[in-house]
């Protein structure tokens, strides 16, 4: 049963791997933030600031694991949307 769920989910979302960035928040989270994401010495800072730290200085959107995930994606994918969608 688990295998069937995985196959159905994969077949439904496979096309999305090849979509581009949406520019709703991708530009702020990824493209405008690449210098921060590609510097592994910033991994500790991911746990001390919010994800939209470039826009404002509040703690309204604290998502450190999202930031660390984006750091891994930027290491392997750079600015290619494929890795972020995967």
């Amino acid at each position: 049963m688990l295998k069937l769920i995985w196959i159905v989910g994969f077949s439904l979302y496979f096309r999305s791997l090849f979509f581009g960035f949406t520019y709703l928040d991708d530009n702020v989270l990824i493209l405008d933030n690449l210098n921060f994401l590609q510097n592994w010495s910033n991994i500790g800072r991911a746990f001390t600031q919010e994800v939209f730290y470039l826009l404002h200085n509040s703690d309204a959107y604290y998502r450190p694991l999202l930031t660390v995930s984006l750091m891994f994606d930027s290491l392997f994918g750079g600015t290619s949307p494929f890795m972020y969608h995967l």
Side-chain angles (χ1 to χ4, degrees):
M1 184 64 172
L2 184 60
K3 194 175 197 179
L4 177 63
I5 293 171
W6 190 89
I7 290 171
V8 170
F10 184 78
S11 62
L12 287 173
Y13 290 99
F14 178 73
R15 280 193 58 205
S16 70
L17 292 175
F18 304 101
F19 291 165
F21 290 120
T22 61
Y23 293 96
L24 297 173
D25 61 359
D26 295 340
N27 54 324
V28 175
L29 289 175
I30 299 167
L31 299 176
D32 295 345
N33 206 14
L34 267 179
N35 289 333
F36 178 83
L37 295 175
Q38 292 180 334
N39 186 351
W40 281 99
S41 65
N42 291 330
I43 201 161
R45 288 183 56 201
F47 292 90
T48 62
Q49 62 192 22
E50 69 163 334
V51 73
F52 289 112
Y53 77 96
L54 292 175
L55 298 178
H56 45 76
N57 293 324
S58 70
D59 293 330
Y61 202 68
Y62 178 70
R63 303 291 187 269
L65 295 181
L66 170 64
T67 304
V68 171
S69 170
L70 293 174
M71 288 175 125
F72 280 107
D73 294 340
S74 71
L75 175 69
F76 296 110
T79 58
S80 171
F82 178 82
M83 190 63 189
Y84 298 94
H85 294 305
L86 182 63

